[in-house]
Amino acid sequence: MDFIRLDGREYLAGFTPTPPVSRADLGEVVAESRCSLSAFNERTRTDPGPSRDGDTGFLPPGTDIHAVRGWDPTCRIAAERDGRLYVYLAQEKGADHARPAACAVG
């Protein structure tokens, strides 16, 4: 799953269609990735356990995580991976399945 955990909130990319963003759409850096859980799992062959702030599904450690211009970063953020920009939508807290927060799609 392509995710970022930031400030106790889960953000997902690829589950809900979103218009693509360009570099001009990127705002300030709001965080940096800490650990790619997919790389951790491949390297150690162990379950990394629950995600913590700064953990991601695929972003290499040290990857800048940006605000998206026109969106509150508690709703949408973006990051570059393999030369492509991805938009991550905040997920509804406490939902029983992946569901974008209202502010992420409104």
Side-chain angles (χ1 to χ4, degrees):
M1 180 179 343
D2 194 359
F3 77 93
I4 296 172
R5 182 162 183 93
L6 188 59
D7 294 328
R9 178 163 245 171
E10 198 88 12
Y11 295 80
L12 299 179
F15 280 88
T16 303
T18 57
V21 294
S22 69
R23 294 198 187 293
D25 297 315
L26 298 181
E28 67 183 351
V29 173
V30 295
E32 194 176 271
S33 63
R34 189 179 70 77
C35 179
S36 166
L37 295 188
S38 63
F40 177 89
N41 184 277
E42 284 180 29
R43 199 170 43 255
T44 66
R45 301 282 187 230
T46 60
D47 180 356
S51 62
R52 298 177 294 174
D53 282 346
D55 287 350
T56 70
F58 301 104
L59 299 174
T63 300
D64 287 339
I65 300 167
H66 295 265
V68 176
R69 292 191 196 284
W71 294 91
D72 187 307
T74 62
C75 301
R76 281 191 185 196
I77 52 179
E80 182 177 359
R81 179 171 46 92
D82 299 326
R84 182 173 169 213
L85 293 172
Y86 291 85
V87 175
Y88 294 81
L89 303 181
Q91 297 300 294
E92 194 68 45
K93 289 185 178 184
D96 58 352
H97 63 280
R99 182 174 64 220
C103 71
V105 295

